[in-house]
Amino acid sequence: MHLNGRCICPSDPQFVEEKGIRAEDLVIGALESAFQECDEVIGRELEASGQVGGCTALVAVSLQGKLYVANAGDSRAILVRRDEIRPLSFEFTPETERQRIQQLAFVYPELLAGEFTRLEFPRRLKGDDLGQKVLFRDHHMSGWSYKRVEKSDLKYPLIHGQGRQARLLGTLAVSRGLGDHQLRVLDTNIQLKPFLLSVPQVTVLDVGQLELQEDDVVVMATDGLWDVLSNEQVAWLVRSFLPENQEDPHRFLKLAQMLIHSTQGKEDSPTEEGQVSYDDVSVFVIPLHSQGQESSGH
């Protein structure tokens, strides 16, 4: 199906109508397929070069009056307007995808090689806990329940730690991304790739339905920014900076630079107690006003 709605296969009209398939579903499918294909290409290139590594990915595509944001990992995109902050992506971490990861370990226990327990406990269990009642969660549970501690429960947890310290198999802080095909748990042959998804979550923003102002922007950044600045703090910086620099043709670029500067713990930084980001920080600031004009035919 063409994006203008014209069908290109004889079987399309009835099928599309029955399934309720829209043009935006094709764009979402293309992004999902692109992430998957990119991951496969990275895997082949890493194997050929004998290198290792991986990354997260955050992509924005503007097409026919809509903004498609695809995310695999812990980068983040938000829409900042004069009176609105709207998340356009959601982080994928061992905590946010706990049930999916635990279920995979339930279906394929061999992935843990007898070294880990898939169950989650509020704290790391010790030998003294054997036979005691403790709270736990499994793949089918959103709440908590009690069980008596068995010897197998003393193994290292599949997901351990809280917040930014949460790790998958004691190694990775993300549960989706590209690459890492050869990554293994330290001193073992346990692979992490089976638990990592390269498929993104795609959010669609209908730009054509917004009454856009000149200072409406999308901020895309890696976790180095979000580790020390909240959505509200970033929005405050955006709303403070842009109106004061209306005549500067490079104001969006300078805003991105200022956001990076704000993660370095300087005196004028809005972070708590001069909090510093020690992670790499990449920032895009994308003005939407021109996109709205194009979608309305101007």
Side-chain angles (χ1 to χ4, degrees):
M1 185 169 68
H2 282 293
L3 292 178
N4 62 11
R6 180 169 62 86
C7 298
I8 58 175
C9 298
S11 61
D12 265 357
Q14 181 182 357
F15 176 77
V16 170
E17 185 176 344
E18 288 178 351
K19 291 289 186 180
I21 299 173
R22 305 157 297 170
E24 72 176 48
D25 295 321
L26 297 179
V27 182
I28 293 172
L31 282 164
E32 292 169 336
S33 298
F35 271 63
Q36 189 74 30
E37 184 173 335
C38 184
D39 185 55
E40 294 170 359
V41 170
I42 289 173
R44 291 195 295 269
E45 291 184 353
L46 289 176
E47 185 176 10
S49 62
Q51 295 178 322
V52 296
C55 66
T56 63
L58 178 66
V59 174
V61 176
S62 176
L63 190 64
Q64 295 187 337
K66 294 183 178 180
L67 188 72
Y68 298 82
V69 179
N71 182 49
D74 57 359
S75 295
R76 186 189 305 174
I78 64 171
L79 168 67
V80 179
R81 307 182 71 200
R82 184 178 302 171
D83 56 356
E84 179 186 13
I85 306 170
R86 187 184 305 186
L88 298 177
S89 68
F90 302 92
E91 285 91 318
F92 290 102
T93 68
E95 280 190 314
T96 63
E97 292 209 282
R98 172 189 62 82
Q99 287 182 274
R100 176 187 70 79
I101 293 168
Q102 285 182 317
Q103 184 171 24
L104 190 63
F106 170 73
V107 176
Y108 302 103
E110 64 274 12
L111 293 175
L112 302 182
E115 298 288 335
F116 293 82
T117 173
R118 72 169 188 273
L119 301 182
E120 180 187 13
F121 302 98
R123 60 176 175 82
R124 182 73 192 277
L125 299 181
K126 303 176 182 178
D128 294 343
D129 295 313
L130 278 173
Q132 302 296 316
K133 273 191 172 183
V134 295
L135 288 164
F136 82 103
R137 284 198 296 190
D138 203 350
H139 67 93
H140 60 282
M141 302 166 63
S142 57
W144 294 80
S145 186
Y146 280 97
K147 76 181 299 288
R148 291 199 179 275
V149 177
E150 304 171 30
K151 190 174 181 180
S152 60
D153 298 327
L154 302 181
K155 297 175 182 177
Y156 200 85
L158 172 60
I159 299 170
H160 183 62
Q162 305 293 326
R164 296 182 206 141
Q165 305 305 317
R167 293 293 183 270
L168 171 60
L169 293 171
T171 306
L172 274 183
V174 296
S175 56
R176 298 198 189 194
L178 306 175
D180 284 324
H181 294 72
Q182 307 302 322
L183 184 62
R184 286 171 167 77
V185 177
L186 184 65
D187 296 331
T188 76
N189 201 37
I190 300 174
Q191 291 186 315
L192 280 94
K193 187 62 177 177
F195 295 97
L196 291 176
L197 278 184
S198 59
V199 180
Q201 180 187 56
V202 183
T203 303
V204 184
L205 176 67
D206 194 341
V207 179
Q209 297 298 314
L210 301 176
E211 295 183 6
L212 292 173
Q213 306 298 317
E214 287 190 18
D215 293 342
D216 293 345
V217 297
V218 169
V219 178
M220 302 170 61
T222 56
D223 61 323
L225 179 74
W226 308 111
D227 281 349
V228 296
L229 291 176
S230 67
N231 291 357
E232 291 73 23
Q233 287 173 318
V234 169
W236 181 83
L237 290 169
V238 169
R239 292 164 180 161
S240 302
F241 182 89
L242 291 180
E244 296 176 359
N245 297 270
Q246 286 282 356
E247 305 305 319
D248 189 340
H250 305 294
R251 61 195 185 115
F252 299 107
L253 168 63
K254 291 180 179 178
L255 172 57
Q257 293 171 332
M258 186 266 284
L259 288 172
I260 293 175
H261 176 81
S262 298
T263 67
Q264 302 309 303
K266 307 297 182 182
E267 289 185 4
D268 57 345
S269 172
T271 59
E272 295 181 9
E273 299 179 355
Q275 198 173 2
V276 179
S277 175
Y278 294 100
D279 207 343
D280 56 295
V281 186
S282 299
V283 178
F284 286 83
V285 176
I286 305 170
L288 290 179
H289 189 243
S290 60
Q291 300 294 332
Q293 289 180 324
E294 291 171 9
S295 66
S296 60
H298 296 154

